[in-house]
Amino acid sequence: MSGLDVDASSNGRGSDDWYRSWTHFRVARSSAGYCRVTFGHPPINTITATTVAELAELVGLIERDPDLNVVVFDSASPDFYLAHYDVENDPSRTAALGVGPTGLPAWLDVLVRLSRAPVVSIASIRGCARGAGSEFVLACDLRFASRENTLLGQFEVGIGVIPGGGPMARLARLVGRGRALEILLVADDFDGPRAEQYGYVNRLIADDRLDDEVEAIASRLARFDHEAIARTKSYVDEVTLPANSELGPPLDDFRELFGRPAQQAQWARLQELGLNADSDLERHLGKRVVEVMPDER
Amino acid sequence: MSGLDVDASSNGRGSDDWYRSWTHFRVARSSAGYCRVTFGHPPINTITATTVAELAELVGLIERDPDLNVVVFDSASPDFYLAHYDVENDPSRTAALGVGPTGLPAWLDVLVRLSRAPVVSIASIRGCARGAGSEFVLACDLRFASRENTLLGQFEVGIGVIPGGGPMARLARLVGRGRALEILLVADDFDGPRAEQYGYVNRLIADDRLDDEVEAIASRLARFDHEAIARTKSYVDEVTLPANSELGPPLDDFRELFGRPAQQAQWARLQELGLNADSDLERHLGKRVVEVMPDER
Amino acid sequence: MSGLDVDASSNGRGSDDWYRSWTHFRVARSSAGYCRVTFGHPPINTITATTVAELAELVGLIERDPDLNVVVFDSASPDFYLAHYDVENDPSRTAALGVGPTGLPAWLDVLVRLSRAPVVSIASIRGCARGAGSEFVLACDLRFASRENTLLGQFEVGIGVIPGGGPMARLARLVGRGRALEILLVADDFDGPRAEQYGYVNRLIADDRLDDEVEAIASRLARFDHEAIARTKSYVDEVTLPANSELGPPLDDFRELFGRPAQQAQWARLQELGLNADSDLERHLGKRVVEVMPDER
């Protein structure tokens, strides 16, 4: 651990690496202690191999910055926080990401390292965050969400696969068995009030207050002692984080189940209906996912 | 695991074994994926050795059915879901149940196998569910309850015994230490709003909407891929279910404490006051249980 | 375990040891099964080495009393339940407390033994309980709080230290990772409604009903069988309590971080502004703690 004697000559804005040109988000470092990352990958902020690669680089910067106390992740789109993963019809792009420093595949690696970093990560949620988007917010330390405009969900079981990015491990510990099973198995959308009731998010904030309140929380955290944050968080980490070994097997299951012809066909039909576009399907994915199921009735 | 290639010729209604004549519930299999079990043991749906034996058989069918995705448990009585255990003044009947496939005594065996089955179990709760009735709903995966007409509770400590069917293990993990201790030690009734607030149930549904909403959830689950459900659930099981070894010792304690003369006398007085009948005592058991205590004041 | 055959000749009021003259609380034993402890250390019920020494003695009495079922801890002050720890500008007093029977330093020892005692401990909370005051209520079994007049918080990270009395271990298990991290890292005050929403307390009770309702719960528990309470609680303890080994390292961290010059300076400035007195600072400590931070902006 470091941070007890930060060199003020670093001027609190981090190294030049923060200012490279990111493509799926922009980064604003308003003070030494505080960084804001705003997702912007139109039209609906899907997560692709490019997003994962950039997040992996960003998390490395977060881990190594001795001045940084807090990172806020928000979205430039009012309707989509992070829609879900888009394999871009080319699984080789995702496969090429390989494994990260933890030895886990890149997406899992990003989530694990973010959750263990000695920095407070805050998801400031407005719009839809499903699948990998939900997995991302679950890996953040704090989740604040728009009261009027939030939809969270793990829709994977609805298309015949299982979630690959760890939500079984995280939701089971966060909201308890019954509510975790409902989120994961019924696989429907959760609006803000139900997400708050279930503990899926810390709490709701009125949409027109969300940005200001999260800003106030982040500004407060930015002023705190880095070492106090890092050590306090590490003790909570020990009790609450899943072992890395829990996370790999579900991702293998996801790949196996997604590779089945029926699931490939469902995915193709979802794309025809508007998946990955700013569509009615995307805005009501939890409900509409059943439309593409083979009708056995 | 199976289910990837279900033979459609099974016509989705399960084997003939489902259609034997059950005495304490009836079974309706409306589709291959969905079964509804309705408790009907007038007047108040007590759980007896017969109920346990039938549930053990039913859980065996549930475990072995490759088509089944979801089982809903509801009640034919609007006032009593499952009142509690009734030893029928003959402990030998319960003793004769012996142990089940897990090696645990029959009641614990039923609950453990239901919670680990590759099928979603849903308790659709209307009326009173106390003692073993509460233990049953806690062993189900999802719990939806009537907003206006729900009473849950573990009244055992109120009569000088401890709950024997695992609620210490399950509630401690579901609702956290403080609320679990209140439910178990204060041993009073919990109405719907408080049960929802504490996480004792997933959530409330208005009484006149309960059946339809649970039906919609079950119908949705019935259409999903069996393997996706089974594997997703198994990962949550690993994190959230108690070890079988936790469950035996409290049942031994229950037997020891219940065998004491003072507890036998309390039980006899409760029976005189209306226990096991459709009585005012049963409708207000959490409050009235103290009436039969030896008054030491 | 004992209690099956309590000698009625003990008259149910405990030994004379209960009636020594306590200085930071008073003790009322209204029945064999029920004891009320009322904190009274004007002006704001700080916890000092004296409080810890007296609580250590009291917990010993609680552990050894075969008649006692329930202890309620409330406060003589309507505005302060237990403000926080006051080292009295003389760390040697705290150091002189040494370790308790568990081998842990005295404050941790008191909290661990209270949480494991075969007696139900209830915090009846009215007013502010921050820092060690919050740690105390988290070590109680049940927490009921005034709806209108409750402020809980762990402000330690706000002054550049970490909480030393175990709230990382307890909150992480009680309210889940996200909400525990918010309480501990944002380090702000939680009023009653948010404390209830997060599960920080069991539930709120209207201020003018709090005393009566807690009295009713305690009177009910006082009549129950001691053995039934003790065994039921012990099974919940096994699942929910942290290992003692989790608790020592954060206290070492607290001492290390608090010993830094910057933190000593912050503490001195807080004292100048009203810390340990009935002051505006104490009533709004969560917000005002940032006033004493070195301004780096």
Side-chain angles (χ1 to χ4, degrees):
Chain A
M1 295 189 183
S2 61
L4 292 175
D5 291 292
V6 169
D7 183 355
S9 70
S10 73
N11 91 358
R13 302 306 168 99
S15 69
D16 289 345
D17 294 336
W18 289 89
Y19 299 102
R20 57 154 280 188
S21 178
W22 309 94
T23 60
H24 284 192
F25 46 80
R26 60 172 193 271
V27 173
R29 185 81 177 261
S30 57
S31 74
Y34 171 26
C35 173
R36 183 175 285 258
V37 178
T38 302
F39 294 114
H41 178 219
I44 62 167
N45 284 346
T46 55
I47 300 167
T48 70
T50 301
T51 325
V52 177
E54 291 193 336
L55 282 172
E57 190 176 338
L58 181 74
V59 170
L61 294 174
I62 290 169
E63 288 173 320
R64 290 190 301 271
D65 193 311
D67 295 336
L68 189 66
N69 281 354
V70 55
V71 182
V72 171
F73 293 93
D74 61 9
S75 167
S77 159
D79 295 326
F80 294 92
Y81 181 80
L82 285 171
H84 50 69
Y85 201 80
D86 176 10
V87 72
E88 300 174 290
N89 295 315
D90 182 0
S92 71
R93 292 191 199 176
T94 299
L97 292 168
V99 299
T102 61
L104 290 166
W107 178 237
L108 290 172
D109 178 79
V110 163
L111 301 181
V112 163
R113 289 196 291 135
L114 182 63
S115 64
R116 293 196 183 277
V119 168
V120 186
S121 50
I122 300 178
S124 179
I125 306 167
R126 178 181 282 121
C128 302
R130 299 191 185 93
S134 165
E135 291 166 0
F136 180 83
V137 304
L138 287 169
C140 287
D141 296 324
L142 313 184
R143 284 163 293 286
F144 301 106
S146 161
R147 181 173 301 279
E148 299 87 355
N149 182 13
T150 293
L151 281 182
L152 297 173
Q154 299 284 160
F155 69 102
E156 289 89 336
V157 169
I159 58 164
V161 300
I162 86 167
M168 283 80 81
R170 295 191 197 278
L171 280 168
R173 289 171 168 87
L174 190 68
V175 306
R177 173 177 173 83
R179 289 170 171 176
L181 285 172
E182 182 182 349
I183 295 167
L184 293 162
L185 297 177
V186 181
D188 209 340
D189 293 336
F190 278 66
D191 63 12
R194 189 160 295 166
E196 180 185 58
Q197 177 190 27
Y198 277 31
Y200 201 160
V201 298
N202 282 45
R203 54 187 164 92
L204 301 178
I205 298 174
D207 191 83
D208 61 3
R209 295 279 313 144
L210 178 65
D211 297 339
D212 287 350
E213 289 206 22
V214 172
E215 182 74 20
I217 291 167
S219 297
R220 180 176 165 98
L221 283 162
R223 296 180 66 190
F224 286 175
D225 181 72
H226 182 79
E227 194 66 13
I229 288 173
R231 295 198 194 182
T232 300
K233 181 176 165 183
S234 74
Y235 287 112
V236 176
D237 289 352
E238 286 179 24
V239 178
T240 58
L241 289 178
N244 289 1
S245 59
E246 280 184 55
L247 301 172
L251 183 56
D252 292 338
D253 280 331
F254 165 79
R255 288 170 177 159
E256 176 192 341
L257 297 184
F258 192 57
R260 294 180 294 176
Q263 274 55 55
Q264 291 292 309
Q266 282 187 34
W267 194 253
R269 291 175 64 190
L270 283 172
Q271 289 190 301
E272 291 165 11
L273 291 170
L275 197 74
N276 299 323
D278 187 350
S279 63
D280 183 77
L281 178 85
E282 283 282 1
R283 287 166 188 269
H284 305 91
L285 188 57
K287 292 280 175 262
R288 295 198 54 191
V289 71
V290 295
E291 293 178 17
V292 298
M293 304 193 66
D295 200 338
E296 317 159 1
R297 293 197 154 182
Chain B
M1 294 188 184
S2 63
L4 291 176
D5 291 291
V6 169
D7 183 355
S9 71
S10 72
N11 92 359
R13 302 304 169 100
S15 70
D16 289 345
D17 295 336
W18 290 89
Y19 300 101
R20 56 155 281 188
S21 179
W22 309 93
T23 60
H24 284 192
F25 47 79
R26 58 172 194 271
V27 174
R29 185 79 177 261
S30 57
S31 74
Y34 171 27
C35 175
R36 184 176 284 256
V37 179
T38 302
F39 294 115
H41 178 219
I44 62 165
N45 284 345
T46 55
I47 300 166
T48 70
T50 302
T51 325
V52 176
E54 292 193 334
L55 282 172
E57 191 177 336
L58 181 75
V59 170
L61 295 174
I62 290 170
E63 288 173 321
R64 291 190 301 271
D65 193 311
D67 295 336
L68 189 65
N69 282 354
V70 55
V71 182
V72 171
F73 294 93
D74 61 10
S75 166
S77 160
D79 295 325
F80 293 92
Y81 182 79
L82 285 171
H84 50 68
Y85 201 80
D86 175 9
V87 72
E88 298 174 291
N89 294 316
D90 181 1
S92 71
R93 292 191 199 175
T94 298
L97 293 167
V99 299
T102 60
L104 290 166
W107 178 238
L108 291 172
D109 178 80
V110 163
L111 301 181
V112 163
R113 289 196 292 135
L114 182 64
S115 63
R116 293 195 184 278
V119 169
V120 186
S121 50
I122 301 180
S124 180
I125 307 167
R126 179 180 282 121
C128 301
R130 299 191 187 93
S134 165
E135 291 166 1
F136 180 83
V137 304
L138 287 169
C140 288
D141 297 325
L142 313 183
R143 284 163 292 287
F144 301 107
S146 162
R147 181 173 301 279
E148 299 88 353
N149 182 12
T150 293
L151 281 182
L152 298 173
Q154 299 284 161
F155 69 102
E156 289 90 336
V157 169
I159 58 165
V161 300
I162 85 167
M168 283 80 81
R170 296 191 197 279
L171 280 168
R173 289 171 169 87
L174 190 68
V175 307
R177 173 178 174 82
R179 289 169 171 177
L181 285 172
E182 182 183 349
I183 295 167
L184 293 161
L185 297 177
V186 180
D188 209 340
D189 294 336
F190 278 68
D191 63 11
R194 189 159 295 167
E196 180 186 59
Q197 176 190 27
Y198 277 30
Y200 201 159
V201 298
N202 282 45
R203 55 186 164 92
L204 301 179
I205 298 174
D207 191 83
D208 61 2
R209 295 281 310 145
L210 177 66
D211 297 339
D212 287 350
E213 288 205 23
V214 172
E215 182 74 19
I217 290 167
S219 298
R220 179 177 166 98
L221 283 162
R223 298 180 65 190
F224 286 175
D225 180 73
H226 182 79
E227 195 65 15
I229 288 173
R231 295 198 194 183
T232 300
K233 181 176 164 182
S234 74
Y235 287 112
V236 176
D237 288 352
E238 285 179 25
V239 178
T240 58
L241 288 178
N244 289 0
S245 58
E246 281 183 54
L247 301 171
L251 184 55
D252 293 337
D253 281 333
F254 164 78
R255 289 170 176 159
E256 176 192 341
L257 298 184
F258 193 56
R260 294 179 295 174
Q263 274 55 55
Q264 291 291 309
Q266 282 187 32
W267 194 254
R269 291 174 64 189
L270 283 171
Q271 288 190 302
E272 291 165 10
L273 291 169
L275 197 74
N276 299 322
D278 187 351
S279 63
D280 182 77
L281 178 86
E282 284 283 0
R283 287 166 189 269
H284 305 91
L285 188 57
K287 292 281 176 261
R288 295 197 54 192
V289 72
V290 295
E291 293 177 17
V292 298
M293 303 193 66
D295 200 339
E296 318 158 0
R297 293 198 157 183
Chain C
M1 294 188 184
S2 62
L4 292 175
D5 291 290
V6 170
D7 183 354
S9 71
S10 74
N11 92 359
R13 303 305 168 99
S15 69
D16 290 345
D17 295 335
W18 290 89
Y19 299 101
R20 55 155 281 188
S21 179
W22 309 94
T23 60
H24 285 191
F25 47 79
R26 60 172 192 270
V27 174
R29 185 78 178 263
S30 58
S31 75
Y34 172 25
C35 174
R36 183 175 284 257
V37 178
T38 302
F39 294 115
H41 178 219
I44 62 167
N45 284 347
T46 54
I47 300 167
T48 69
T50 301
T51 325
V52 176
E54 291 192 335
L55 282 172
E57 190 176 338
L58 181 75
V59 170
L61 295 174
I62 290 170
E63 288 173 321
R64 291 190 300 272
D65 193 311
D67 296 336
L68 189 65
N69 282 353
V70 55
V71 182
V72 171
F73 293 94
D74 61 9
S75 166
S77 159
D79 296 325
F80 293 91
Y81 182 79
L82 285 171
H84 50 68
Y85 201 80
D86 175 10
V87 72
E88 299 174 290
N89 294 315
D90 182 2
S92 71
R93 291 191 198 177
T94 298
L97 291 167
V99 300
T102 61
L104 290 166
W107 178 238
L108 291 172
D109 179 79
V110 163
L111 300 181
V112 162
R113 289 196 292 134
L114 182 64
S115 65
R116 293 194 184 278
V119 168
V120 187
S121 50
I122 301 180
S124 180
I125 306 167
R126 179 180 282 121
C128 301
R130 300 193 186 93
S134 166
E135 291 166 359
F136 181 83
V137 303
L138 288 169
C140 287
D141 296 324
L142 314 182
R143 283 163 293 287
F144 301 106
S146 161
R147 181 174 301 279
E148 299 87 355
N149 183 11
T150 293
L151 281 182
L152 298 173
Q154 299 284 162
F155 68 102
E156 289 90 336
V157 169
I159 57 164
V161 300
I162 87 167
M168 284 79 81
R170 296 191 196 279
L171 280 168
R173 289 171 168 88
L174 190 68
V175 306
R177 173 177 173 82
R179 289 169 172 177
L181 285 172
E182 182 183 347
I183 295 167
L184 293 162
L185 297 177
V186 180
D188 209 340
D189 293 336
F190 278 67
D191 63 12
R194 189 159 295 166
E196 180 185 59
Q197 177 190 26
Y198 276 31
Y200 200 159
V201 297
N202 282 45
R203 54 187 165 91
L204 300 179
I205 298 174
D207 191 83
D208 61 2
R209 295 279 312 143
L210 178 65
D211 297 340
D212 287 351
E213 289 205 22
V214 171
E215 182 74 19
I217 291 166
S219 298
R220 179 178 166 98
L221 283 162
R223 298 180 64 190
F224 286 176
D225 181 73
H226 182 79
E227 194 66 14
I229 288 173
R231 294 199 195 182
T232 300
K233 180 175 164 182
S234 74
Y235 287 113
V236 176
D237 288 352
E238 285 178 26
V239 178
T240 57
L241 289 178
N244 288 0
S245 58
E246 279 184 54
L247 301 172
L251 184 55
D252 293 337
D253 280 333
F254 165 78
R255 289 170 176 160
E256 176 192 341
L257 298 184
F258 192 57
R260 295 180 295 176
Q263 274 55 55
Q264 290 293 310
Q266 282 187 34
W267 194 253
R269 290 174 64 188
L270 284 171
Q271 288 190 303
E272 292 165 10
L273 291 170
L275 196 75
N276 299 322
D278 187 351
S279 62
D280 183 78
L281 178 86
E282 283 284 359
R283 286 165 190 270
H284 304 91
L285 188 57
K287 292 280 176 261
R288 294 198 54 192
V289 72
V290 294
E291 293 178 16
V292 298
M293 304 193 66
D295 200 338
E296 317 158 1
R297 292 201 156 180

